[in-house]
Amino acid sequence: MRLSESNIKNGILHPERDVRDVAISYFSGTSSDDRTIMPVAIEAVETYGWREAFSDMSVMESLFQNDDTVSWIVATINHPGDFSDPSWGEYLLDLSWILANTNAHLLKRRRRDIFAAKLLNAEVREIICERTRLLTVDKSVCWRNLEDFCARAGRQPRDTDWNMDTAFHIVEALSRAGDKFADRVLSILSQPTDLIADTAEAWMRLFMIRLAGEMRLTDGIPHIVKELQRENADWVHEECMAALASIGNDDVIKAIWNACALAPALFRRYTAWVLESIHTDMAMEAALHLFQREEDAIVKANFGETLLAQFSIDGIGAVRHFILNSPPDDMMTSLRNNLLAVCTLIGAEFPEFDGWRNEIRQDKAYREQWYNPEFPVIDTWTPQIAEPRRKSRVMSRPPSLFPRTRMEHIGRNAPCPCNSGKKYKHCCLRRSR
């Protein structure tokens, strides 16, 4: 049983930011075409301010946009703002990247208004030009262009700095061709190809995984699941997870659920992350079943995050019991904080509820002091050698759906590079804010 989506949507306007974060993440992790979410997110920004509305403004990139929301983004970008504040420029960049991920047909219709925004990011402007241009290009030409890209990439070392936007835009254009290329996609996916190899075939197979996801090609599920089980680079696995989440039906759930029986821990973690993005009763059933039988603490925590992200009422007690019986660490702290946020919105309480909330408030108060430049850093660990001050406490802007350089891309749903075992969006991305 899950909290109703109308109540989750109301959570986007909740007074507590942690609650707003889990509420909007529920919608941002899917390919939903719900037109009502972005206006509520905008209301949150206007109510609480762009600094405090959400921990990560990029959650708005995957929300469905309409004419009114595009008009709001353009008007905000045109607002002069406070350029003495370095974070204002970051906010404008966030807004620009929301436009970069907007539906191409809507971008084409509003192109003149969007390009009239003088503060629109130049790279985003180029992306919008390319995506709208491909709307009118014959799809057979797009296929040949993708083959040419793969041929050039296959002749270069894998660590070459490729602009993957070009290929991703072509894949997006091909996904609008209906089932025209379905047989070709399945044929390429069925061929055994080493994705680590520097060959045109490897690149083409990689893009077919993405295309199968954007086409919601159910027949491609077995091939993508098999690829997810192989030893590959993290970003290849991320493409597989994104494709399965985009297809997002019960066939996906059955395939990964069955594969978990004999799969290693890493695949089971990937399963948790895919299930998080599929909002069906079977997804919650699978997550709860796998959570209960999981023995690996990190993987079990991943399934716990999935149950909370799904607002599973049945999973609250199981996650609470797991936290109480696990040694305290950063992973458990994150899981506990998400549990409190979800329970706050659901209206559920338990004996530890108030005590845990007080601990969070104290921690936040200390962090606010710590991130204040005037807060004195006193070394109480060793008086002989003072610990050096941190040079920077602010990370760069997280990447969008269309990353600038593919090799530097860390997707929101990718494994966090700190090796915590959690998704990047549930770990260092949130902490960086």
Side-chain angles (χ1 to χ4, degrees):
M1 183 177 177
R2 167 195 295 121
L3 185 67
S4 69
E5 292 199 346
S6 61
N7 285 332
I8 298 174
K9 183 169 67 174
N10 291 337
I12 298 175
L13 295 174
H14 195 276
E16 297 182 26
R17 189 172 72 171
D18 287 347
V19 178
R20 297 196 296 272
D21 282 341
V22 296
I24 197 168
S25 292
Y26 174 88
F27 297 102
S28 67
T30 65
S31 303
S32 171
D33 59 354
D34 190 333
R35 301 167 182 264
T36 67
I37 306 302
M38 184 63 182
V40 179
I42 290 174
E43 185 178 350
V45 173
E46 293 178 337
T47 301
Y48 300 104
W50 58 270
R51 288 187 181 89
E52 295 298 326
F54 309 110
S55 297
D56 172 21
M57 287 293 292
S58 70
V59 293
M60 300 170 71
E61 290 179 7
S62 60
L63 300 180
F64 193 92
Q65 307 297 324
N66 57 38
D67 281 300
D68 291 337
T69 61
V70 168
S71 295
W72 179 85
I73 294 171
V74 171
T76 307
I77 291 177
N78 278 327
H79 192 278
D82 181 9
F83 288 99
S84 63
D85 181 1
S87 60
W88 177 257
E90 183 178 351
Y91 177 52
L92 294 182
L93 186 59
D94 284 328
L95 294 176
S96 293
W97 281 92
I98 293 173
L99 289 176
N101 289 272
T102 297
N103 178 274
H105 290 283
L106 178 56
L107 289 176
K108 183 178 181 181
R109 189 169 69 248
R110 298 296 305 274
R111 178 170 168 163
R112 178 176 296 180
D113 296 332
I114 293 171
F115 284 177
K118 296 181 180 179
L119 297 179
L120 180 69
N121 177 264
E123 188 173 0
V124 169
R125 190 182 297 266
E126 294 177 3
I127 287 175
I128 293 175
C129 283
E130 180 63 9
R131 292 183 64 211
T132 54
R133 182 189 71 82
L134 287 171
L135 288 172
T136 59
V137 177
D138 183 82
K139 299 304 180 287
S140 296
V141 174
C142 290
W143 185 274
R144 290 196 296 271
N145 289 342
L146 184 60
E147 289 180 324
D148 291 342
F149 180 94
C150 293
R152 295 195 304 273
R155 292 192 293 267
Q156 301 294 329
R158 177 54 67 97
D159 58 356
T160 301
D161 188 10
W162 284 97
N163 181 3
M164 300 294 284
D165 290 350
T166 300
F168 291 161
H169 298 157
I170 296 174
V171 168
E172 179 193 29
L174 290 171
S175 70
R176 293 191 287 264
D179 294 332
K180 180 177 180 179
F181 299 103
D183 290 340
R184 295 193 203 179
V185 173
L186 292 174
S187 175
I188 294 173
L189 288 178
S190 64
Q191 298 170 6
T193 305
D194 182 5
L195 291 185
I196 301 179
D198 297 322
T199 64
E201 292 77 12
W203 283 105
M204 195 66 176
R205 180 178 170 84
L206 175 64
F207 294 130
M208 291 305 99
I209 291 173
R210 175 175 278 241
L211 182 54
E214 297 201 11
M215 293 174 62
R216 291 174 168 77
L217 197 58
T218 298
D219 290 340
I221 294 172
H223 306 296
I224 300 173
V225 171
K226 185 178 296 185
E227 199 63 60
L228 188 59
Q229 292 175 296
R230 292 175 179 161
E231 184 175 350
N232 279 308
D234 286 343
W235 60 275
V236 174
H237 286 151
E238 183 188 342
E239 288 293 326
C240 293
M241 288 187 288
L244 292 172
S246 294
I247 297 173
N249 56 28
D250 285 348
D251 290 325
V252 170
I253 299 170
K254 293 175 184 176
I256 58 178
W257 192 353
N258 291 334
C260 277
L262 300 175
L266 185 60
F267 179 85
R268 301 198 302 275
R269 286 168 55 191
Y270 294 155
T271 296
W273 298 336
V274 173
L275 291 175
E276 182 178 322
S277 301
I278 304 176
H279 298 159
T280 66
D281 291 340
M282 181 178 286
M284 286 196 300
E285 179 187 355
L288 184 58
H289 172 81
L290 293 169
F291 173 84
Q292 291 171 336
R293 69 187 295 271
E294 183 58 58
E295 297 181 356
D296 184 291
I298 293 178
V299 180
K300 195 177 186 72
N302 292 152
F303 283 119
E305 294 280 8
T306 298
L307 289 169
L308 296 178
Q310 289 272 16
F311 285 86
S312 170
I313 296 176
D314 297 332
I316 289 176
V319 173
R320 168 183 169 265
H321 185 267
F322 172 56
I323 295 172
L324 289 173
N325 289 276
S326 300
D329 55 22
D330 287 345
M331 181 174 63
M332 287 299 111
T333 298
S334 175
L335 189 62
R336 181 200 65 180
N337 294 353
N338 285 342
L339 174 63
L340 290 174
V342 169
C343 287
T344 299
L345 187 55
I346 291 177
E349 293 190 4
F350 42 84
E352 304 81 18
F353 189 87
D354 290 335
W356 285 355
R357 281 174 63 91
N358 288 334
E359 288 180 19
I360 291 177
R361 291 193 182 103
Q362 293 172 5
D363 180 68
K364 285 183 177 179
Y366 177 79
R367 287 177 182 272
E368 288 177 359
Q369 287 183 311
W370 170 254
Y371 283 93
N372 185 338
E374 298 180 358
F375 179 64
V377 178
I378 302 175
D379 185 3
T380 59
W381 177 252
T382 166
Q384 291 81 11
I385 303 177
E387 184 179 347
R389 292 289 295 269
R390 299 181 183 181
K391 294 183 179 180
S392 174
R393 295 172 180 164
V394 180
M395 294 178 65
S396 60
R397 178 191 180 280
S400 70
L401 177 62
F402 300 113
R404 294 162 176 73
T405 304
R406 189 66 185 89
M407 297 304 172
E408 298 176 354
H409 173 52
I410 303 175
R412 286 170 44 77
N413 292 311
C416 189
C418 75
N419 294 319
S420 65
K422 294 180 290 185
K423 282 187 181 181
Y424 180 51
K425 70 180 181 182
H426 288 319
C427 193
C428 290
L429 175 57
R430 182 175 294 180
R431 292 175 184 175
S432 71
R433 295 286 177 165

